[in-house]
Amino acid sequence: LAPCEPTKIVAVGINYAPHAKELDFQIPPEPLIFLKPPSAVIGPGEPIDLPAMSSQVDYEGELGVVIGRRTRNISRAEALSAVFGYTCCNDVTARDLQKKDVQFTRSKSFDTFAPIGPCIETELDPENVEVTSSVNGALRQQANTASMIRKVAELISFISAVMTLMPGDVIATGTPAGVGQLHTGDTVSVAIGPVGTLTNPVRA
């Protein structure tokens, strides 16, 4: 099972400069946020389903922040006090639909498009941790959160000024460069040292 039951997943777009470059996106002047529904959540070992209406589904390995208490309008200085812990997220994306629709809702929201796990680590420095992704054992993404454009405290403060965060909600903090397509039969893994490895098979 996924280690939490979020009322919402708030994902952050374009939070590593090399990823912006690979997608030919501009770095936004403020955090770019979008929502993934709780119906998209799956846990470790559960399959990611490739939807028939998309011809390009990509993995995006990310550090996930799990909120520990009801949080609204929190300052950046106090923001980390609202965190219960950290986990691995895979912000699975129908890239062709993202480009077609311009806004992100459909491309990010299919059932199974939010793998989370394998656990929640409560002792972790979110500003200095390695995030990696691999497909079929081959390393595809590797970055340290120190290179994030906007740090976790800033993201929590910004998002809480927009919407109330509830216990168990997850903030997906953005993906490094190296995103790529998934195919039927693949196995995709997102690893963060202190958290462990989130692994999911891929099927049509």
Side-chain angles (χ1 to χ4, degrees):
L1 298 175
C4 59
E5 295 182 330
T7 69
K8 54 189 168 295
I9 301 130
V10 187
V12 178
I14 316 301
N15 204 25
Y16 291 83
H19 177 57
K21 184 177 181 180
E22 73 178 349
L23 294 185
D24 196 26
F25 284 175
Q26 297 294 316
I27 296 172
E30 295 180 295
L32 171 64
I33 60 173
F34 56 91
L35 295 174
K36 294 173 78 82
S39 55
V41 173
I42 57 173
E46 294 187 78
I48 297 167
D49 291 328
L50 303 178
M53 67 175 66
S54 174
S55 60
Q56 183 184 349
V57 173
D58 288 4
Y59 57 86
E60 293 190 6
E62 309 192 10
L63 172 69
V65 179
V66 182
I67 298 299
R69 59 180 172 85
R70 190 177 187 276
T71 302
R72 172 70 174 156
N73 282 327
I74 197 167
S75 69
R76 192 178 304 187
E78 298 292 326
L80 294 184
S81 70
V83 175
F84 176 72
Y86 302 89
T87 192
C88 302
C89 296
N90 190 342
D91 177 21
V92 183
T93 304
R95 192 71 66 199
D96 54 340
L97 302 183
Q98 183 185 30
K99 294 176 181 177
K100 178 181 179 182
D101 293 353
V102 182
Q103 56 88 25
F104 294 177
T105 303
R106 179 167 62 143
S107 68
K108 300 282 190 175
S109 297
F110 287 96
D111 289 355
T112 77
F113 270 26
I116 299 172
C119 65
I120 299 171
E121 173 56 62
T122 57
E123 299 294 331
L124 182 152
D125 178 2
E127 294 191 9
N128 183 27
V129 67
E130 288 285 323
V131 180
T132 65
S133 299
S134 61
V135 178
N136 303 325
L139 184 65
R140 300 291 181 83
Q141 293 182 288
Q142 184 173 20
N144 192 292
T145 55
S147 63
M148 289 198 304
I149 297 168
R150 295 180 174 92
K151 308 304 183 185
V152 169
E154 178 183 355
L155 295 174
I156 294 171
S157 179
F158 179 86
I159 293 166
S160 76
V162 178
M163 65 190 81
T164 300
L165 294 166
M166 303 300 293
D169 283 355
V170 174
I171 299 173
T173 57
T175 196
V179 300
Q181 189 170 0
L182 295 171
H183 302 89
T184 300
D186 284 346
T187 299
V188 58
S189 297
V190 179
I192 297 172
V195 178
T197 303
L198 169 66
T199 298
N200 299 90
V202 181
R203 68 183 183 185

